[in-house]
């Protein structure tokens, strides 16, 4: 029983690390795009960002890890005026 719990904790740690990596890459891309578009992005504001946001991750869903080829390796960023449910 203890081995199963340890395996589950290990899997949860892997998922958490994947979420944080995903969020970090996209947050970095978003900040860079804002700066490229001449928005005033202050370093002290960026320092307060956290990659531990998970509302866009379905913890009990099915996932496919066969990613399509994406330009630049990332999905396009959402337009600033887009609705939250897009």
């Amino acid at each position: 029983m203890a081995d199963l719990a340890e395996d589950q904790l290990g899997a949860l740690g892997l998922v958490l690390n994947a979420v944080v990596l995903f969020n970090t890459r996209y947050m970095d891309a978003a900040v860079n795009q804002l700066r490229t578009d001449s928005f005033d992005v202050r370093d002290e504001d960026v320092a307060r960002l956290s990659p531990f946001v998970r509302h866009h991750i379905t913890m009990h869903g099915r996932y496919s890890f066969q990613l399509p080829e994406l330009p630049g390796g990332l999905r396009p960023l959402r337009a600033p005026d887009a609705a939250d449910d897009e």
Side-chain angles (χ1 to χ4, degrees), residues 7-19:
D7 289 345
Q8 289 175 333
L9 283 175
L12 182 59
L14 179 62
V15 169
L16 177 62
N17 287 335
V19 168

Side-chain angles (χ1 to χ4, degrees), residues 11-85:
L12 182 59
L14 179 62
V15 169
L16 177 62
N17 287 335
V19 168
V20 168
L21 175 62
F22 176 92
N23 290 345
T24 300
R25 289 197 63 206
Y26 276 93
M27 288 168 61
D28 183 57
V31 167
N32 288 336
Q33 185 64 51
L34 287 170
R35 286 181 169 153
T36 298
D37 293 343
S38 301
F39 281 88
D40 182 25
V41 180
R42 300 180 310 176
D43 289 337
E44 56 268 22
D45 293 333
V46 173
R48 289 191 171 99
L49 294 175
S50 171
F52 191 64
V53 179
R54 61 196 184 284
H55 70 271
H56 60 289
I57 304 295
T58 305
M59 291 297 184
H60 302 290
R62 293 183 179 191
Y63 295 93
S64 171
F65 294 99
Q66 297 175 352
L67 299 176
E69 290 296 320
L70 300 171
L74 298 175
R75 296 182 311 173
L77 296 173
R78 187 174 55 130
D81 57 351
D84 284 342
D85 60 340

